[in-house]
Structures are given as structure tokens and as C-alpha cells.
């Protein structure tokens, strides 16, 4: 069944339900709105991490009511992936650099690790990788990490491929 709604013409001086609406800033719309990864902490429905294309790394501990940037003191603000170690959710790995090549792609500078749920970060390497698409942490050994690295988009590079660390980076 097709329903058709006819809007009544607005009478001069009549109150519109849209009169109370006001413009508000909701952030960048052209470049900064892409999200590359969302990870939840296993067993904790309140804590989530969001990795953005060029807008930083964000954390919520209240199911998304409020968000805190947790990577703003680092040299990059672009991400491809977040990995949480199942055995201890305080251990996080992030791969920097946007893996979806486009005219506004932002480059990263490798892999970082946090052992305190994102309060502090250590740069682990792959500094010339430019884009890290995926990270996986072994489910029972937080020191075994795999990184799928795109590297520079248009040429061969030694920091392209799948890398494995067995010493936590």
C-alpha cells in the first residue's frame, strides 16, 4: 500500500515545529568522519575504542555517552586498526595509517602498544609502513602479534606484507 502525505501550507505567523531548531557544529564532514575500526572489550559492554581515518583514537567507558581522545599526544592521528588482547583488555595495539587509499588518505607511522588501556603508548616500529590495515593478537599470548601492512600505495616497499612479532613488538 502506498501512503501519501500532504503537507498543509504554512500560514503566515503560524509556529513551525522547525522554528526551534538551531545550527550546531557536529564536526568535520568532508575528511574527518571516516571510522576504520570499532572494538569492544570482551565482557565489558561499557568500553569501546573507535579508530578514525584522520580524527584520532577515541575511548568510551559508558557505552558511548561520552568519548575521550586517547592518542592526541602522538605524532599521528590516523588509524587502520585496533586490537585488544583477550587475556588482559588493558593491552592494546594500534596500527596507524588509513588503509583505504583515496585522495585524502592520511599516512601513519607504524604500530603502537599500550599496557594501560590507552593512557600511555609505546611506538613499536614499522615507521615507514604508511598504512596498517589489520592487527591480530594471539588469544593466549599477548606478545604474538600479526600486522597486515599496506605500505606505500604505488610502489614496492620493504614495509609491505604480513609481519609477525613474538616479543610484543
Amino acid at each position: 500500500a502506498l501512503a501519501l502525505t500532504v503537507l498543509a501550507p504554512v500560514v503566515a505567523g503560524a509556529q513551525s515545529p522547525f522554528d526551534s531548531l538551531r545550527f550546531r557544529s557536529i564536526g568535520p564532514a568532508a575528511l574527518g568522519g571516516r571510522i576504520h575500526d570499532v572494538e569492544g572489550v570482551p565482557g565489558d559492554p561499557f568500553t569501546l575504542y573507535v579508530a578514525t581515518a584522520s580524527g584520532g583514537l577515541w575511548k568510551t567507558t559508558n557505552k558511548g555517552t561520552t568519548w575521550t581522545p586517547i592518542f592526541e599526544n602522538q605524532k599521528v592521528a590516523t588509524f587502520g586498526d585496533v586490537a585488544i588482547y583477550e587475556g588482559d583488555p588493558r593491552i592494546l595495539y594500534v596500527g596507524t595509517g588509513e588503509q583505504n587509499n583515496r585522495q585524502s588518505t592520511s599516512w601513519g607511522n607504524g604500530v603502537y602498544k599500550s599496557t594501560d588501556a590507552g593512557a600511555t603508548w609505546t611506538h613499536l616500529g614499522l615507521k615507514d609502513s604508511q598504512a596498517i590495515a589489520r592487527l591480530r593478537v594471539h588469544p593466549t599470548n599477548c606478545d604474538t602479534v600479526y600486522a597486515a601492512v599496506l605500505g606505500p600505495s604505488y610502489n614496492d616497499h620493504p614495509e609491505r606484507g604480513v609481519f609477525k612479532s613474538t616479543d610484543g613488538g
Side-chain angles (χ1 to χ4, degrees):
L2 178 64
L4 179 63
T5 303
V6 177
L7 299 175
V10 178
V11 178
Q15 191 72 353
S16 165
F18 301 109
D19 287 345
S20 64
L21 296 178
R22 300 288 176 254
F23 284 102
R24 62 187 172 96
S25 174
I26 59 172
L31 300 176
R34 296 185 308 278
I35 293 175
H36 281 276
D37 193 21
V38 177
E39 295 289 336
V41 172
D44 178 2
F46 290 89
T47 304
L48 298 166
Y49 296 90
V50 171
T52 68
S54 60
L57 181 65
W58 297 82
K59 178 181 181 180
T60 181
T61 56
N62 55 19
K63 294 186 178 180
T65 302
T66 59
W67 292 88
T68 303
I70 61 170
F71 208 78
E72 72 274 3
N73 294 323
Q74 303 305 318
K75 294 180 180 182
V76 297
T78 177
F79 295 89
D81 200 32
V82 177
I84 302 170
Y85 175 53
E86 291 178 27
D88 182 351
R90 294 174 299 172
I91 299 174
L92 309 170
Y93 290 88
V94 294
T96 63
E98 181 180 7
Q99 72 274 26
N100 296 326
N101 186 31
R102 54 188 293 144
Q103 73 275 16
S104 61
T105 299
S106 299
W107 294 345
N109 67 353
V111 177
Y112 288 77
K113 180 180 182 179
S114 176
T115 58
D116 54 14
T120 61
W121 296 94
T122 301
H123 186 259
L124 301 178
L126 296 171
K127 69 178 182 78
D128 295 322
S129 59
Q130 293 186 3
I132 299 181
R134 291 287 180 268
L135 294 171
R136 292 296 180 256
V137 183
H138 191 279
T140 60
N141 181 352
C142 68
D143 289 332
T144 300
V145 183
Y146 296 88
V149 180
L150 177 62
S153 297
Y154 300 106
N155 61 333
D156 289 336
H157 195 273
E159 289 190 6
R160 174 180 283 160
V162 177
F163 293 83
K164 178 182 179 181
S165 173
T166 58
D167 63 2

